[in-house]
Amino acid sequence: MPERPANRIWNKEIETMPRAKMRELQLERLKYIVDYCINNVEFYNKKLTPLGICGDKIKTLEDIKYIPFTVKTDLRDNYPFGLFAAKRSDIVRIHASSGTTGKPTVVGYTKSDLENWAELIARIVTAGGATSDDIVQICFGYGMFTGALGLHYGLEKIGAAVVPTSSGNTQKQLMFMRDFGTTGIVATPSYAMYLAESARALEFPMSDYRLRIGLLGSEGCTEALRNQIESTWNIFVTDNYGLSEVMGPGVSGDCVYRTGQHINEDHFLVECLDKNTMEPVPEGEPGEIVITTLTKQGIPLLRYRTKDISALHYDACPCGRTSARMEKIKGRTDDMLKIRGVNVFPSQVESVLVGMDQISTHYKLVVRREGYTDTLEVCVELIDGSLLERYGELEKLQKKIKENLRSVLGLDAKITLVSPNTIERFQGKAVRVVDLRNESK
Ligand code: DLL
């Protein structure tokens, strides 16, 4: 078992602030940001002024419910800079999301936004166990994606030595990792696993590495996959969450007790809402995460619908932080598959597959429409390809996966076991669902 790093807190005053005081600070900042949006962004002015909403009218945090939501298409419709609140001369960095369809969503940062960003990442990486003694390799793609540069400046702020390898060129990644004695990696969970697999394939002994922590994020990671990454690399893994529209990484992150990801509530007001009624759900119940940025100057967003599903907790955490915590993202309202009336999240399938003997962590879900029926095929990679010739064993394994999936999903799936290394690998976010329903007639 990898060792749990010591519990450290970067900004004690803020991170352990009594909740009542934090709520006061949030209210003051909410009033401010509402007026800032009205005064500097035409889109918000047009939306809020006719409704009579302004900072002065907001008396409690619950009054946020009167503010209309902002959605991804609002950013696209105002592409590229239409929602920026700061003057062009005050914008010092521009990023864009990696969206697969339509125009990307573009975000701009002022100097104070970048300073805040580095501060929030400093908190998150400290919570995940990083210190100034670490050498941290950033395996996210440097570029328009917020992940790499976001983590970069926060890690430098705490004094860690950053190795900006970016993604790709796996063999070189591993060489630097070994030769530099890298102690931490920043990556997606799927890339962390891929790096371990590549090290094995290249016959680089794992004992040559000095890795101790993995600061993983940007895509879902079930506990089962986390355990697998930890035991393969012998590292302690924490998860951190964010999205480019509201900043990038830095919204929330695990502490070393991993009781949920601590939210940076002095900068983000996070609601968890029933996805049908858009009313708040009770503590611990799943709902859509909706975020209001409380301090952003470049592109502030009011009640941004993330489409991510999680649950919030407010009870005490052994680490001493008082912040609200988010459960691991269960999925997105838009990656939830509805198959024969059953809601299926890829993360549920992953939790069944990862940790089973004989199969790797790489899988793909293919959904088809056959006649009037939706079908789910789960393609899973074998660790040992020779099993494909041992029909009896193969069938037994297929049956076991099918039964385990049925008990978790309440749905029958076709299980296809494939040779090692035949499912596509991803250096950024893994794409695990292929939905062909609109293509089959
Ligand atoms: O992925 C920001 C980020 C970079 C977060 C690096 C953490 C580390 P986008 O590319 O805009 O930004 O994608 C945002 O990714 O709405 C979630 O659906 C998903 N996501 C991000 N972090 C997690 C996580 C970055 N820890 C979208 N677990 C979000 C699950 C995550 N999903």
Side-chain angles (χ1 to χ4, degrees):
M1 274 293 280
E3 205 180 318
R4 183 199 304 275
N7 175 38
R8 290 192 180 81
I9 300 182
W10 175 256
N11 187 334
K12 270 224 167 82
E13 190 193 335
I14 294 285
E15 294 180 77
T16 63
M17 183 180 269
R19 290 205 57 73
K21 206 167 157 209
M22 176 57 75
R23 285 175 66 81
E24 265 173 42
L25 178 65
Q26 287 187 309
L27 180 59
E28 185 190 310
R29 291 187 170 176
L30 177 63
K31 286 160 155 295
Y32 160 79
I33 206 73
V34 166
D35 285 338
Y36 179 75
C37 285
I38 293 172
N39 294 333
N40 295 287
V41 188
E42 198 191 339
F43 167 84
Y44 280 121
N45 192 337
K46 280 197 178 146
K47 224 159 131 165
L48 302 189
T49 309
L51 296 173
I53 297 169
C54 64
D56 225 23
K57 291 270 173 66
I58 295 186
K59 304 289 183 209
T60 68
L61 285 178
E62 285 66 38
D63 287 345
I64 197 170
K65 65 180 177 217
Y66 299 115
I67 301 177
F69 295 106
T70 307
V71 292
K72 202 178 189 93
T73 45
D74 293 328
L75 279 105
R76 293 215 170 109
D77 293 347
N78 290 283
Y79 175 87
F81 303 150
L83 295 190
F84 284 18
K87 288 204 302 285
R88 173 35 226 103
S89 55
D90 290 333
I91 298 286
V92 294
R93 174 94 65 76
I94 295 171
H95 280 281
S97 81
S98 51
T100 45
T101 49
K103 290 270 194 207
T105 49
V106 179
V107 287
Y109 302 75
T110 62
K111 274 199 179 138
S112 84
D113 291 336
L114 290 187
E115 277 158 22
N116 285 335
W117 198 7
E119 159 70 21
L120 301 191
I121 298 292
R123 292 184 199 169
I124 279 169
V125 297
T126 303
T131 72
S132 56
D133 291 333
D134 280 298
I135 300 180
V136 183
Q137 205 155 316
I138 299 193
C139 312
F140 283 141
Y142 276 73
M144 298 308 273
F145 177 53
T146 53
L149 285 167
L151 266 300
H152 184 115
Y153 289 104
L155 280 160
E156 282 187 354
K157 191 175 172 87
I158 68 156
V162 172
V163 186
T165 43
S166 195
S167 57
N169 210 344
T170 306
Q171 199 159 340
K172 226 180 207 158
Q173 292 271 9
L174 290 165
M175 183 191 80
F176 286 139
M177 206 172 271
R178 185 190 54 200
D179 297 350
F180 294 179
T182 299
T183 52
I185 52 167
V186 165
T188 54
S190 50
Y191 193 56
M193 206 54 218
Y194 175 65
L195 277 173
E197 253 179 16
S198 307
R200 267 209 214 108
L202 293 162
E203 295 180 6
F204 291 178
M206 294 310 251
S207 55
D208 283 356
Y209 296 92
R210 296 188 47 210
L211 277 187
R212 94 187 162 83
I213 51 168
L215 303 165
L216 308 186
S218 186
E219 67 178 17
C221 179
T222 54
E223 278 186 23
L225 178 59
R226 179 179 85 194
N227 292 342
Q228 188 123 343
I229 296 169
E230 289 197 321
S231 59
T232 314
W233 272 118
N234 194 27
I235 56 174
F236 188 86
V237 167
T238 51
D239 189 359
N240 68 86
Y241 167 83
L243 60 160
S244 54
E245 295 90 320
V246 307
M247 171 166 278
V251 173
S252 62
D254 276 330
C255 68
V256 293
Y257 296 101
R258 299 187 298 203
T259 55
Q261 298 172 60
H262 291 274
I263 299 170
N264 279 315
E265 289 183 283
D266 51 332
H267 293 264
F268 303 105
L269 183 55
V270 175
E271 301 170 83
C272 186
L273 306 181
D274 180 295
K275 67 182 182 348
N276 299 315
T277 63
M278 294 316 279
E279 293 291 328
V281 295
E283 176 172 353
E285 295 291 316
E288 180 177 336
I289 295 297
V290 172
I291 303 180
T292 298
T293 64
L294 295 175
T295 54
K296 275 227 328 215
Q297 302 289 301
I299 172 167
L301 292 179
L302 302 179
R303 301 193 91 196
Y304 184 70
R305 288 189 61 174
T306 65
K307 299 204 169 175
D308 291 320
I309 298 175
S310 177
L312 299 181
H313 294 271
Y314 305 95
D315 55 330
C317 177
C319 73
R321 289 176 184 79
T322 47
S323 37
R325 305 187 306 279
M326 286 171 54
E327 283 181 19
K328 275 185 174 301
I329 301 292
K330 192 179 158 65
R332 290 177 54 81
T333 49
D334 56 3
D335 81 4
M336 185 181 79
L337 294 162
K338 195 122 199 172
I339 301 172
R340 300 200 289 276
V342 179
N343 291 345
V344 176
F345 287 101
S347 60
Q348 290 175 297
V349 176
E350 183 177 302
S351 68
V352 170
L353 299 179
V354 176
M356 282 182 77
D357 289 341
Q358 297 170 298
I359 55 177
S360 83
T361 55
H362 302 284
Y363 64 94
K364 189 168 77 179
L365 310 184
V366 187
V367 193
R368 297 188 180 83
R369 178 149 299 150
E370 290 170 15
Y372 293 106
T373 313
D374 292 340
T375 61
L376 171 66
E377 180 184 9
V378 181
C379 304
V380 191
E381 232 181 61
L382 291 168
I383 291 174
D384 173 8
S386 71
L387 196 69
L388 286 169
E389 280 140 38
R390 303 201 294 274
Y391 292 115
E393 269 180 70
L394 194 69
E395 222 172 275
K396 221 163 111 194
L397 179 60
Q398 253 165 342
K399 202 163 150 228
K400 191 165 146 204
I401 300 174
K402 196 177 171 95
E403 278 166 7
N404 288 357
L405 276 176
R406 188 190 296 129
S407 74
V408 170
L409 304 178
L411 187 80
D412 266 325
K414 177 183 172 197
I415 311 299
T416 306
L417 296 169
V418 299
S419 305
N421 291 313
T422 50
I423 290 180
E424 192 183 350
R425 304 295 196 259
F426 297 90
Q427 315 227 325
K429 294 181 200 247
V431 180
R432 294 194 153 124
V433 178
V434 184
D435 194 338
L436 300 173
R437 279 179 289 191
N438 291 328
E439 289 169 30
S440 37
K441 284 269 168 301

